[in-house]
Amino acid sequence: MYYNNSTVVFLDGKWVKASETTSSLYGQTLHYGIGVFEGIRSYKTEDGNKIFKAKEHYERLHYSAQKMEIDLPYTVEELTELSYALLEKNQLGDAYLRPLVYLGENMSLQTENESHVLLSAWEWGRYLGDKQLDVMISDFQRPNPKSCFVEAKVTGHYTNSILATNQAKRAGYDEALLLDMNGYVAEGSGANFFFEKDNVLYTAPKGNILQGITRQTIFELAEELGFQVVEKLFTPTEVYDADGAFFTGTAAEVAGIRSLDCKFFKMPWEHTLGYELSSAYQNRVQK
Ligand code: PMP
């Protein structure tokens, strides 16, 4: 699914076939989950391939690397240029790009100096699909922000996302909504969360969430469309009473939610501000 015999990746300064690469069994990332990564989308537009907000994504990769004391020896500009070359070499247009910085052999608990930079890409449909989602409040909370850098995109953080997704899927839901350690709604397993009530949009403030680049784009689009967005702490009870809700993320884009814990939102998705924002988002990424 992610590669075939002709897929080319960028690894440590070289273009190599994905099928011919290897990595160590003793790497620190494999054992302890210390690695940093990004999830980026490119869109095939009338003016050629466009990587949406490449600068913001690679700035976040640098932020994540710096917080985890990982060496990332490429600038934002270099990473952006390499990403366009990656798409070209693999003849990709609408694609998902996955930069990963992983670490060399080291079984100690201090960040290993040797880092490896991998850029790969593949065609990937919308992560949560196109249908409106049935969501459950997860039993798993987002990590305590004093236990990690929640705003860094660190590989190990995603064990929490996987546990929440496993539980939600097993219970027959499409996705999980996770609370923070104080019981306020934080975000999905791999996407930020918004709800809508009386024509106002609400989303969790920074502190317990990954501040998504799509979330920021929604702020920009809402402003252009004259929609009010409020960042505040809220509990699931407030969401049960909402008119509508949606997730935002690079992989998921803008994904409408129809129910939370089997309670259906009041408005049909097509009548919500979220729906308008989802089409505005599609227009924006194509520009
Ligand atoms: N929260 C989490 C936990 C995520 O993994 C993601 C995906 N990167 C997001 C939010 C959304 O971030 P973005 O819009 O930058 O993709």
Side-chain angles (χ1 to χ4, degrees):
M1 175 185 172
Y2 303 107
Y3 67 96
N4 58 34
N5 273 340
S6 51
T7 303
V8 172
V9 297
F10 177 85
L11 180 60
D12 296 336
K14 295 196 192 81
W15 296 102
V16 286
K17 279 194 166 186
S19 56
E20 288 169 10
T21 58
T22 54
S23 74
S24 170
L25 294 177
Y26 302 90
Q28 209 178 34
T29 305
L30 187 61
H31 286 255
Y32 301 136
I34 173 164
V36 293
F37 71 106
E38 267 305 317
I40 310 176
R41 267 193 195 279
S42 74
Y43 295 87
K44 196 173 170 173
T45 75
E46 285 170 5
D47 306 321
N49 285 343
K50 201 196 109 187
I51 300 176
F52 187 62
K53 295 203 170 180
K55 181 169 178 280
E56 287 83 344
H57 281 283
Y58 282 124
E59 279 173 357
R60 187 168 67 186
L61 188 65
H62 268 279
Y63 166 85
S64 303
Q66 181 236 324
K67 286 295 178 201
M68 300 310 287
E69 301 181 40
I70 290 174
D71 187 35
L72 173 51
Y74 297 93
T75 64
V76 168
E77 293 73 27
E78 285 167 338
L79 290 164
T80 305
E81 266 175 44
L82 289 165
S83 299
Y84 277 104
L86 176 72
L87 293 171
E88 206 161 293
K89 283 180 193 293
N90 289 290
Q91 294 168 3
L92 289 166
D94 289 322
Y96 181 81
L97 292 91
R98 170 54 58 84
L100 170 69
V101 189
Y102 65 94
L103 300 179
E105 295 175 1
N106 189 338
M107 293 296 109
S108 84
L109 295 178
Q110 209 181 352
T111 302
E112 162 59 28
N113 290 329
E114 181 190 298
S115 67
H116 300 270
V117 177
L118 169 71
L119 303 181
S120 63
W122 59 87
E123 272 177 26
W124 216 24
R126 275 198 192 164
Y127 178 61
L128 295 167
D130 290 322
K131 78 176 194 62
Q132 288 130 56
L133 307 169
D134 295 314
V135 173
M136 70 172 278
I137 297 283
S138 182
D139 288 338
F140 296 96
Q141 296 177 340
R142 291 300 288 167
N144 178 334
K146 288 188 176 161
S147 71
C148 63
F149 293 103
V150 273
E151 285 170 19
K153 209 165 158 62
V154 177
T155 55
H157 292 178
Y158 284 79
T159 54
N160 170 253
S161 301
I162 289 171
L163 288 172
T165 307
N166 286 351
Q167 184 197 28
K169 297 268 184 190
R170 199 171 297 120
Y173 294 90
D174 299 306
E175 170 59 324
L177 181 59
L178 289 83
L179 307 184
D180 67 21
M181 60 177 202
N182 299 313
Y184 295 109
V185 173
E187 60 185 332
S189 61
N192 292 115
F193 175 80
F194 288 76
F195 77 92
E196 172 178 338
K197 178 77 183 167
D198 297 333
N199 280 321
V200 179
L201 293 158
Y202 299 89
T203 194
K206 71 176 200 179
N208 289 289
I209 59 166
L210 186 80
Q211 284 191 70
I213 289 161
T214 320
R215 174 181 180 272
Q216 181 58 37
T217 308
I218 290 295
F219 290 168
E220 292 159 15
L221 294 171
E223 187 169 352
E224 285 169 28
L225 292 167
F227 301 163
Q228 194 189 348
V229 188
V230 177
E231 289 178 81
K232 67 160 196 168
L233 295 172
F234 52 89
T235 62
T237 314
E238 208 171 323
V239 184
Y240 294 146
D241 190 40
D243 296 328
F246 55 93
F247 284 120
T248 65
T250 298
E253 300 183 317
V254 180
I257 302 172
R258 66 173 190 174
S259 72
L260 178 63
D261 290 341
C262 297
K263 292 169 191 61
F264 283 77
F265 293 118
K266 296 195 178 64
M267 285 182 3
W269 171 237
E270 291 74 16
H271 296 178
T272 62
L273 302 180
Y275 180 76
E276 277 189 59
L277 286 164
S278 73
S279 43
Y281 185 77
Q282 285 309 317
N283 290 337
R284 172 60 53 91
V285 295
Q286 295 290 341
K287 258 202 234 153

